[in-house]
Amino acid sequence: MNLETLKKTARECGIVGAGGAGFPAYAKMTDKADTVILNCVECEPLLKLHRQLLASHPEEIVSMLDEVRETLGAKEAVIGIKSEYTETIKALSGVLSDHTSVRMEQVRPAYPMGDEVVLIYEATGRIVRPGGLPIEQNVVVYNVETMYNLYQAVHKGKSVTSKMVSIVGEIDTPATVRVPVGTLVKDAIVLAGKVTTETPAYLMGGPMMGRLGDENTIITKTTNAIIILDRAHELIMKMDKNLDVERRRASSACCQCRTCTDLCSRHALGHPIEPHRIMRAVANQDVSDLSGFQNSAFCSGCGICEKYACPQGLSPKSIIQEFKTGLRSAGINAGKPDPAPVSEDREYRKVPVHRLTAKLGLSKYDVPSSFDDEVCKVSRVRIPMSQHIGAPANPVVQTGDMVREGQIIGSPSEGLSAGVHASISGTVTNVTEKYIEISSL
Ligand code: SF4
Ligand code: SF4
């Protein structure tokens, strides 16, 4: 397969990063890459689907990784995986001998190893510049599910119509299930088991970087997990923040211990982000040096400073993210400065995932969960036209149309975009610019 055909297939089949921001997969494909990394680190507590999917389909995923490497003209492919994922590593070892340009890089079970900037350093020793893209270091990164979706598109002609989701926490049978894209949270949960709290809250994604959802939140191509917790769980209570209050708390309680900066995953790689400086400036309302504020652009949002490091329970990440959003909306570009040398203490300052899980009050939910790769049946879906970075897809069906599973219902826009497909067969019951509803009843 040549590069242009691979890109066309990925775009038409609607393949976007299956997790995170949903970057269209085709847009990363370039002959400038010399290394392709498969991200199977999945560092957020309680998330399990990538290690489960790779253990279940090692041959398909590794052969597709090697095929992408070859098509891009890259020298090697690296599977980044946590050393504790022993079952997945065992499954891979039976496959890797057939792929001599693919190697495995085992990393410590620390957070946030799955951050692609961190993983690129771990796997290749290269540093992505602050504000830069992996391709500047000749690297492209795909996660396990994205690579599996590419395999399905290239070898089976299948578009992305379903999503694997780990449903864990306050549920009697924690499970990773495959549901049609556009399934509502309440419909997905009944497929997994019985909720074990009367006042559930739904955390969409991991406990460090996820957001609060509700029963009607839609599962998109980027939804990795639904973590069900009681509304009174500390993690949920802390997500309801008033930033005015948080700034006042910074004024009264930040002792400038700088633990937030010492443990910051990007600071350790030499990126100029220093949360303690921003907290000091906020506390003193000191705007004499704007560089600290400007450097908020280089925060990855990993949450270590706020949910793990700060002994005072303050909210540096939330305050930094507010500045970051402000910079973006004001059109201020912080540039791409050269990074400082990697911190000599970096190895000792990695955050062990089991300790993080305990600190978040989630240890009791860190239990084995079942894995079922068959697509669950649901009778209704609401499919967003924008599940990716870039321009939304354009609806190409009308209310009353009959559609088949896999049929295109949103064509990619000009520029960066991705196609959207019917995830179930049935009748289109509603079409707006933002979503299309389908019912099979
Ligand atoms: S860790 Fe907390 S108290 Fe210490 S400098 Fe950072 S925000 Fe202030
Ligand atoms: S969230 Fe905090 S620890 Fe993470 S990159 Fe941003 S400043 Fe650093």
Side-chain angles (χ1 to χ4, degrees):
M1 173 172 287
N2 67 40
L3 181 54
E4 285 315 309
T5 308
L6 181 62
K7 287 173 91 161
K8 188 165 177 282
T9 305
R11 183 174 155 93
E12 286 178 354
C13 290
I15 297 171
V16 305
F23 199 79
Y26 75 88
K28 289 183 178 180
M29 292 169 181
T30 161
D31 58 10
K32 292 188 176 61
D34 67 17
T35 306
V36 183
I37 294 180
L38 183 74
N39 188 346
C40 184
V41 175
E42 200 169 34
C43 54
E44 285 242 24
L46 308 187
L47 269 54
K48 294 190 168 60
L49 78 87
H50 287 154
R51 76 186 93 160
Q52 291 175 316
L53 185 61
L54 186 52
S56 177
H57 298 284
E59 177 56 45
E60 294 99 314
I61 294 169
V62 173
S63 63
M64 192 66 232
L65 171 65
D66 207 7
E67 200 175 337
V68 170
R69 178 200 63 74
E70 204 177 335
T71 306
L72 268 51
K75 208 167 54 210
E76 72 166 352
V78 185
I79 302 171
I81 188 164
K82 277 199 205 138
S83 54
E84 64 178 10
Y85 294 173
T86 47
E87 273 184 39
T88 312
I89 290 170
K90 197 168 148 206
L92 284 172
S93 52
V95 168
L96 284 180
S97 54
D98 294 335
H99 300 276
T100 51
S101 298
V102 182
R103 70 176 169 89
M104 194 165 20
E105 179 73 33
Q106 296 186 30
V107 299
R108 275 175 55 188
Y111 178 83
M113 286 289 194
D115 171 358
E116 63 181 14
V117 172
V118 176
L119 182 58
I120 288 168
Y121 178 69
E122 294 284 336
T124 68
R126 302 176 200 171
I127 304 275
V128 177
R129 274 192 301 169
L133 291 172
I135 196 59
E136 292 175 13
Q137 293 298 327
N138 308 107
V139 179
V140 293
V141 184
Y142 292 106
N143 73 26
V144 171
E145 193 177 6
T146 311
M147 194 58 72
Y148 187 61
N149 289 343
L150 266 173
Y151 172 83
Q152 293 288 337
V154 170
H155 294 283
K156 306 265 168 104
K158 285 190 179 172
S159 301
V160 180
T161 57
S162 63
K163 181 72 187 76
M164 302 237 54
V165 189
S166 289
I167 304 178
V168 295
E170 290 287 348
I171 188 148
D172 60 352
T173 50
T176 300
V177 294
R178 185 178 280 285
V179 297
V181 168
T183 300
L184 302 184
V185 162
K186 60 187 171 198
D187 294 338
I189 285 170
V190 295
L191 298 166
K194 192 169 175 305
V195 174
T196 49
T197 170
E198 285 181 2
T199 50
Y202 304 99
L203 190 47
M204 308 300 296
M208 294 298 280
M209 298 181 76
R211 61 186 169 80
L212 280 178
D214 59 37
E215 288 190 336
N216 292 312
T217 299
I218 297 164
I219 292 169
T220 71
K221 295 177 186 177
T222 64
T223 307
N224 277 347
I226 305 168
I227 300 176
I228 306 165
L229 296 174
D230 192 89
R231 277 184 224 151
H233 191 285
E234 200 182 346
L235 190 60
I236 301 296
M237 303 280 281
K238 280 187 172 168
M239 289 182 88
D240 187 18
K241 283 189 199 304
N242 177 325
L243 282 177
D244 281 339
V245 172
E246 292 308 316
R247 280 190 291 269
R248 285 202 291 276
R249 291 183 67 231
S251 303
S252 63
C254 178
C255 61
Q256 284 295 291
C257 65
R258 70 164 281 158
T259 315
C260 49
T261 296
D262 288 342
L263 296 188
C264 171
S265 54
R266 292 290 178 98
H267 181 77
L269 284 176
H271 287 204
I273 172 85
E274 296 174 291
H276 78 286
R277 273 185 68 202
I278 297 177
M279 293 298 271
R280 184 168 64 211
V282 167
N284 298 321
Q285 299 188 355
D286 176 4
V287 289
S288 59
D289 179 3
L290 293 178
S291 64
F293 294 103
Q294 221 158 334
N295 289 344
S296 63
F298 306 128
C299 167
S300 69
C302 75
I304 285 179
C305 52
E306 181 165 314
K307 292 184 174 172
Y308 185 80
C310 182
Q312 308 282 47
L314 302 177
S315 303
K317 171 193 157 180
S318 302
I319 289 171
I320 289 168
Q321 292 290 316
E322 189 189 26
F323 286 123
K324 190 173 174 176
T325 307
L327 288 175
R328 207 178 290 138
S329 51
I332 297 170
N333 188 337
K336 294 180 187 172
D338 287 332
V342 173
S343 163
E344 287 179 7
D345 299 329
R346 179 174 179 270
E347 205 52 43
Y348 311 107
R349 290 187 172 155
K350 287 178 176 169
V351 174
V353 175
H354 72 274
R355 206 177 294 163
L356 176 63
T357 307
K359 173 109 181 180
L360 295 172
L362 297 174
S363 297
K364 75 169 178 167
Y365 305 117
D366 193 12
V367 294
S369 61
S370 62
F371 175 82
D372 188 351
D373 199 16
E374 285 295 308
V375 183
C376 299
K377 287 211 179 329
V378 297
S379 57
R380 58 181 171 181
V381 288
R382 177 183 289 172
I383 306 174
M385 292 295 102
S386 180
Q387 303 177 51
H388 50 266
I389 285 184
N394 298 306
V396 292
V397 291
Q398 295 178 341
T399 303
D401 286 356
M402 296 292 291
V403 291
R404 289 170 286 104
E405 189 250 315
Q407 179 180 330
I408 191 146
I409 56 171
S411 67
S413 300
E414 287 296 310
L416 191 64
S417 188
V420 175
H421 302 76
S423 59
I424 61 174
S425 299
T427 309
V428 175
T429 54
N430 194 13
V431 178
T432 74
E433 276 183 13
K434 291 195 169 160
Y435 59 81
I436 291 172
E437 292 176 325
I438 303 170
S439 169
S440 64
L441 294 175

